[in-house]
Amino acid sequence: MKRLALLGALVVVVGCADLVVGRAAGPAQVWEVLTGGGDALTRHVVWELRLPRALVALGAGACLGVAGIVLQSALRNALAGPEVTGVTPGAVLGAVAATGAGLAGWSSPASVVIAAVAGGFAGAGLLWLLAGRRRTDPHDAAVHGVLVSAALSGLTAMVLLVAPGELGSVVQWLVGSTEGRVWDHWTLLWPWAALWLLAAWSLAAPLTLLRLGEDQAAACGLRLGRARLAALACAVALTAGAVAAVGALGFVGLLVPHLAFALFGADLRTALPGAALLGAAVVTGADAVAQGLSRVLTHALDADRLSVPTGALTTCAGALVLLVVARRTTGEGT
């Protein structure tokens, strides 16, 4: 509980950092607004732009962190994550295809949520069908997940070729960005996130048993197929909601579970809320760093405006973790 409390404090710190690091208003001006002062423009920046952006980053990070730990537990694979199991690519494909067809847009969050959720479940369903009877094999599921993710990414590229005019509007989904998030996005994200985070919490005991192995879980009376299917549904729903809000933030679902297990051990009753807090801290911290880096680069390059996507930072960090974990897993296997 002490570590959870410390993580909660960290989330508050990075959330505050995300509020004050932007260009339009400094820490003193933000504090003035929060205490009831400030001019109209600064109040608009803080209340209508920065606060919802920070909240969406917190919510999306929590969703991705929990989705990752649920997938790794259900599939018993340290390399499983939304990005490499077809879930994130499917959600991105759904959002991009709906945008290309004129059915959705970055400024219409509700339609994007529907499209991303449909795509996410389609990607997971394709993995489930391809894996067949070997879907319970963690290594086989991981291999099929990589193949499905590659195929869905290829379909996304084809959609962009068919509708090249939509490239600018969908790049944010492909890379992942919290820029331009407003209250509409938060209003749609938080009830969805709360529902599925609670559903994941209710699966803490079955997931802990699944991590121990199928034989032990079955001996305890757990219905393996039903428990794994429920876990995958939670992971898909959480990932799709996050993608609909901020796009494909690379490797958050892979990075966070390893940190959560290192801090809280294998008991999902504490590791799940820990992953939610860690995911929120990672994404919001990355957003704060991205905003600060954007300011530095804009000044250094004498540019009018330059924005570093949050997803670019999470992808770089996650890729390094993936390399370390893969080498460690290979070393243990030999």
Side-chain angles (χ1 to χ4, degrees):
M1 293 302 295
K2 183 178 180 181
R3 290 182 178 179
L4 286 175
L6 291 174
L7 275 178
L10 176 62
V11 169
V12 173
V13 170
V14 295
C16 291
D18 203 30
L19 285 177
V20 304
V21 76
R23 293 182 301 168
Q29 294 171 298
V30 172
W31 177 253
E32 186 180 6
V33 170
L34 294 178
T35 54
D39 57 68
L41 177 60
T42 306
R43 288 197 300 270
H44 176 79
V45 168
V46 174
W47 293 120
E48 302 299 328
L49 299 178
R50 290 195 186 176
L51 184 57
R53 173 175 180 161
L55 290 174
V56 168
L58 290 169
C63 288
L64 291 173
V66 172
I69 201 170
V70 168
L71 281 174
Q72 291 187 12
S73 300
L75 299 178
R76 296 184 60 232
N77 193 313
L79 298 180
E83 305 85 357
V84 292
T85 51
V87 180
T88 294
V92 171
L93 175 60
V96 171
T99 300
L103 302 176
W106 191 254
S107 59
S108 55
S111 56
V112 175
V113 169
I114 296 172
V117 169
F121 274 101
L126 182 59
L127 170 60
W128 193 258
L129 290 175
L130 288 180
R133 294 182 179 180
R134 294 178 58 84
R135 61 174 66 102
T136 58
D137 186 319
H139 299 289
D140 195 65
V143 171
H144 281 92
V146 171
L147 295 175
V148 169
S149 297
L152 294 174
S153 297
L155 288 175
T156 301
M158 291 178 62
V159 172
L160 292 178
L161 290 176
V162 173
E166 301 295 336
L167 178 61
S169 63
V170 302
V171 159
Q172 296 183 79
W173 281 306
L174 298 176
V175 179
S177 175
T178 56
E179 187 174 5
R181 305 303 86 207
V182 294
W183 287 113
D184 287 344
H185 298 90
W186 171 245
T187 301
L188 288 169
L189 175 62
W190 80 260
W192 180 269
L195 172 65
W196 290 104
L197 287 172
L198 287 174
W201 167 256
S202 70
L203 294 173
L207 286 172
T208 300
L209 290 176
L210 285 174
R211 282 185 57 81
L212 296 176
E214 292 188 358
D215 293 338
Q216 293 87 337
C220 293
L222 181 66
R223 296 185 178 181
L224 301 180
R226 181 178 298 181
R228 187 172 280 113
L229 183 60
L232 293 177
C234 280
V236 171
L238 287 168
T239 302
V243 169
V246 298
L249 294 179
F251 294 110
V252 175
L254 175 66
L255 168 68
V256 168
H258 293 282
L259 297 176
F261 286 132
L263 288 174
F264 300 101
D267 189 347
L268 272 295
R269 290 175 297 180
T270 53
L272 274 170
L277 292 173
L278 281 168
V282 167
V283 173
T284 310
D287 187 43
V289 173
Q291 290 191 67
L293 187 58
S294 298
R295 293 184 62 180
V296 172
L297 291 177
T298 299
H299 179 74
L301 300 176
D302 195 23
D304 292 335
R305 191 173 187 276
L306 192 151
S307 179
V308 176
T310 304
L313 298 182
T314 62
T315 299
C316 291
L320 292 175
V321 172
L322 177 62
L323 178 61
V324 171
V325 173
R327 294 189 63 178
R328 182 180 300 173
T329 303
T330 302
E332 292 175 352
T334 60

